[in-house]
Amino acid sequence: MSKLSRAEMLQLLAITDKAELAELYRRAYAVKKQFVGTKVYFRGIVELSNVCKKNCYYCGIRSGNPKVEHFSLTKDEAVKSALWAYEQQYGSVVIQSGERDDAEFVDFIEDIVRTVRAKSNNELGITLSLGEQSEETYKRWFDAGAHRYLLRIESSNRELYAKLHPADHDWDKRVNCIRTLKKLGYQCGTGVMIGLPYQTLEHLVDDIMFFEAEDIDMIGMGPYIPHEDTPLAKALPDYNEEEHLELALKMIAVCRIALQDVNIASTTALQALKDDGREMGLLAGANIIMPNITETKYRGNYQLYKGKPCMDENANQCRGCLETRITSIGEEIGYAQWGDSPHYKG
Ligand code: 5AD
Ligand code: SF4
Ligand code: FES
């Protein structure tokens, strides 16, 4: 049961007074400390390819954006990145890519997962974030050694979802994917974008209720950030970075207070809006950081939104930078540990 009623969640999400905001973050931090502690776990992100068959109205690498220069890592490049993370004692990696479901792609991922598992003595955790797939594909990847999967629902409200996606992007199919992943034994993460056009605070409360109802283990949410080459950019002409950051932080805090023992990521999009946005996310209740470990030469081509940080940095620079940022707020990094969500009961 959620620790907060709908009315309480709504009231907390509506706070604007600075002192009340500080109190909300303090309260969320105390819940985080009690249920998941103050160790931050790293998930190194390998951005495998920006080829995507989908055409989400908000995303910079949508198939309908002719400006995207396509890239795909080779198997060796992907494995090398993942093993770099292993050597750095990151507990796990996330393999993320635009969505493809052709047989060649399914085989390719299976091969990478198996190779990374074997070359890391079965120690490196592997999370996949590769969109909607068939049950058979999810099962093959699970059997190859992936044990977590991230699939954001983007919005738990099907009408809002329909405004953000072309007609053939099916909300029900997405929910069914989440349920299939859980059934197969994956630790399952989902999340939403915060501050979307047409989105209300009630929608965000419903999102938290959705996370609870679907018994979600991990949450990755970030502020919506317009990308100029997308149809949705025009829908919010007076986008306000500060307000978006604040709403995203409130959402993290309310999620932490309501759901207590889940893993919550402090996502890169927070840092796109403010240099210390990810530290602010940790202080508002998040406990996971996903350092970018993609080779610098490909980073510019994986821009889902504008202003993504670390475009010219390499994996090693991000590691040092994040270490400084995290220790500066008095937290510790959980090196060489999976850092499973205590919510996940196997
Ligand atoms: N702003 C913020 N997040 C975005 N994503 C895609 N486009 C944007 C955007 N413009 C998020 C989606 C997707 C994740 C990989 O990136 O939530 O699931
Ligand atoms: Fe593809 Fe994901 Fe972007 Fe949608 S949000 S266009 S599925 S990469
Ligand atoms: Fe990449 Fe700071 S996190 S350089």
Side-chain angles (χ1 to χ4, degrees), residues 80-100:
K80 192 171 143 232
S81 271
L83 292 178
W84 178 86
Y86 176 60
E87 282 154 23
Q88 303 305 311
Q89 316 235 317
Y90 288 13
S92 59
V93 288
V94 180
I95 299 176
Q96 186 171 72
S97 150
E99 197 170 306
R100 274 177 60 185

Side-chain angles (χ1 to χ4, degrees), residues 254-301:
V254 176
C255 256
R256 173 60 69 202
I257 297 168
L259 305 178
Q260 298 186 323
D261 61 356
V262 294
N263 275 347
I264 303 179
S266 191
T267 56
T268 314
L270 293 165
Q271 193 181 335
L273 294 185
K274 195 158 195 264
D275 180 56
D276 59 349
R278 281 202 270 191
E279 292 90 294
M280 294 171 91
L282 294 174
L283 292 170
N287 66 322
I288 302 289
I289 292 265
M290 300 158 83
N292 191 334
I293 59 171
T294 307
E295 268 196 62
T296 315
K297 67 175 174 185
Y298 295 127
R299 291 189 178 199
N301 294 326

